[in-house]
Amino acid sequence: AWSLWDVASLSKVVATASAVAVLVDRHQLDLDRPVRELVPRYSGEVKDHVTVRMLLDHTSGLPAWAALGGSDNNTESAWTRVFDIAPRRQPGEVPLYSDINAIIAGYLVERATGTSLEQFTRDSVFAPSGMLSATWKPTASDRLRTVPSELRADGSTLAGRVHDPNAQALGGVAGHAGVFATGMDLAHF
């Protein structure tokens, strides 16, 4: 219960979808609202028909994954790559589990609240649900209790930094990955 784990794709549920649910409950977000209304960068042609609900139920038509990091190692460039991704299928028809959906949903939370996904989930999801150790970016002392998520070829480990390369490219906080939590945090959730 004391160890912090990179909970990877559980971030989609314990952070992003929950943050959207809080906003819907507060009447700050309508699930059937087109994404482009809150995120003008995500617009044009088929994208105009994608709704918040489609991001959450994975029927947006977006692909499952796309590489967001680049040689420039620039977060803004990674976001540009996110918003350049077009649906591969007609929105609203066929579900396909997609990290891209959750990434855009996390960004949408920031646009709807005027605060970071990190801060909003800490205040409105983690704290109220008793997830007292949950965090996006473990502190130096938290890293001492973080379970390594990777053993590298040189024998070093990755601990206390999100394992997902797209979450890394987006600065460590993204709608699809990046949350660190204990087993007790998840039990409280």
Side-chain angles (χ1 to χ4, degrees):
W2 185 78
S3 298
L4 274 176
W5 298 82
D6 177 344
V7 300
S9 283
L10 286 179
S11 302
K12 292 176 179 85
V13 177
V14 300
T16 307
S18 295
V20 170
V22 167
L23 292 173
V24 169
D25 189 54
R26 293 178 182 172
H27 305 288
Q28 292 179 268
L29 190 58
D30 176 358
L31 291 176
D32 296 313
R33 186 175 186 185
V35 172
R36 67 176 158 70
E37 289 180 14
L38 279 169
V39 185
R41 290 175 69 180
Y42 190 77
S43 63
E45 300 179 18
V46 176
K47 293 179 190 177
D48 288 345
H49 303 288
V50 176
T51 65
V52 177
R53 183 184 308 275
M54 289 175 193
L55 294 176
L56 295 177
D57 70 10
H58 298 278
T59 61
S60 68
L62 286 164
W65 186 86
L68 303 178
S71 59
D72 57 10
N73 231 5
N74 179 299
T75 302
E76 187 52 41
S77 296
W79 280 111
T80 297
R81 286 188 272 285
V82 168
F83 297 121
D84 285 347
I85 299 169
R88 306 288 196 266
R89 300 173 321 284
Q90 189 61 34
E93 292 182 358
V94 179
L96 174 68
Y97 183 81
S98 167
D99 283 355
I100 308 303
N101 287 326
I103 291 169
I104 294 172
Y107 187 85
L108 188 102
V109 168
E110 293 182 344
R111 294 295 304 223
T113 64
T115 189
S116 69
L117 180 63
E118 180 178 11
Q119 187 66 50
F120 186 78
T121 54
R122 185 181 304 127
D123 296 342
S124 299
V125 178
F126 301 161
S129 62
M131 297 175 70
L132 304 179
S133 295
T135 187
W136 289 89
K137 296 177 183 175
T139 64
S141 62
D142 283 339
R143 282 190 208 109
L144 297 173
R145 64 187 185 120
T146 302
V147 176
S149 56
E150 179 181 350
L151 175 60
R152 297 178 176 148
D154 67 2
S156 66
T157 59
L158 177 68
R161 185 169 162 236
V162 64
H163 182 263
D164 183 274
N166 281 341
Q168 288 177 16
L170 294 168
V173 177
H176 73 299
V179 172
F180 287 79
T182 65
M184 286 305 294
D185 288 330
L186 296 178
H188 283 287
F189 178 79

